[in-house]
């Protein structure tokens, strides 16, 4: 007796996640070496195995005035996982990296662009990828990015010979200003 395996159900996204540190780390424009662009891995889990090479494009709400971030998630092998690396852009600034949930067309959160498709081993294609309720990236992670340049105005700098200190006056100073070890900074806002 022959056994016939078949399935007519297209794959479904079940979970977005990342193994990026979200326990207080803040991602900047570069890695610690100061030259390598910072990247954040984004992963999606599906309810059934998809073919190696399956791919989709995901739009991220990064707080960047230049527009949404983009990452392509690809199945490196046949299985229930797809992954990609998002490269942090100058101007990205968010306390909780999330999928763009309000867009349509070019701003839709999940897209199958030209040459991209997601199919299972039975040939069932995912044609309308959707974010599962409660399983979006921001639901499962708290990834922080601060790659926006500071917007500071310095209006005056005075050096006090007796104390050996500088006094810097201006507006929009951040809560912290890094100075070399042993230096003192007095800020007047």
């Amino acid at each position: 007796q022959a056994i016939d395996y078949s399935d007519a159900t297209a794959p479904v996204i079940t979970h977005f996640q990342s193994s990026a540190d979200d326990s207080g780390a803040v991602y900047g424009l570069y890695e610690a070496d100061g030259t390598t662009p910072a990247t954040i891995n984004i992963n999606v889990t599906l309810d059934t195995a998809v073919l190696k090479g399956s791919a989709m494009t995901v739009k991220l709400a990064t707080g960047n005035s230049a527009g949404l971030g983009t990452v392509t998630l690809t199945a490196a092998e046949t299985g229930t996982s797809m992954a990609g690396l998002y490269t942090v852009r100058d101007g990205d600034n968010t306390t909780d990296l999330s999928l763009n949930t309000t867009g349509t067309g070019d701003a839709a959160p999940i897209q199958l662009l030209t040459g991209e498709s997601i199919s299972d081993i039975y040939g069932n294609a995912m044609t309308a990828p959707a974010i599962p309720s409660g399983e979006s990236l921001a639901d499962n992670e708290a990834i922080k990015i601060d790659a926006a340049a500071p917007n500071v105005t310095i209006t005056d700098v005075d050096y006090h010979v007796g104390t050996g200190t500088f006094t810097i006056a201006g507006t929009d100073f951040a809560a912290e200003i890094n100075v070399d070890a042993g230096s003192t900074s007095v800020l007047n806002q």
Side-chain angles (χ1 to χ4, degrees), residues 10-22:
V12 174
I13 295 170
T14 61
H15 187 77
F16 278 91
Q17 65 198 35
S18 175
S19 61
D21 186 2
D22 68 351

Side-chain angles (χ1 to χ4, degrees), residues 35-166:
T35 58
T36 304
T39 57
I40 298 169
N41 72 314
I42 308 294
N43 306 302
V44 66
T45 304
L46 300 111
D47 69 341
T48 189
V50 297
L51 296 175
K52 176 181 179 178
S54 289
M56 66 178 153
T57 298
V58 176
K59 297 290 184 159
L60 301 171
T62 62
N64 194 322
S65 62
L68 300 170
T70 302
V71 60
T72 300
L73 305 181
T74 305
E77 58 188 40
T78 298
T80 59
S81 180
M82 297 170 68
L85 287 176
Y86 173 67
T87 301
V88 175
R89 300 171 301 154
D90 186 21
D92 285 355
N93 189 18
T94 181
T95 58
D96 195 2
L97 182 62
S98 63
L99 301 179
N100 183 46
T101 58
T102 58
T104 59
D106 286 344
I110 305 171
Q111 302 172 13
L112 297 175
L113 301 180
T114 302
E116 295 179 343
S117 65
I118 302 170
S119 297
D120 66 15
I121 61 173
Y122 299 104
N124 300 310
M126 180 188 294
T127 57
I131 303 169
S133 179
E135 293 296 335
S136 184
L137 184 63
D139 294 323
N140 298 315
E141 310 292 345
I143 301 168
K144 298 166 192 66
I145 302 175
D146 182 0
N151 185 16
V152 176
T153 302
I154 296 176
T155 58
D156 188 40
V157 177
D158 291 319
Y159 179 69
H160 302 280
V161 177
T163 60
T165 60
F166 287 96

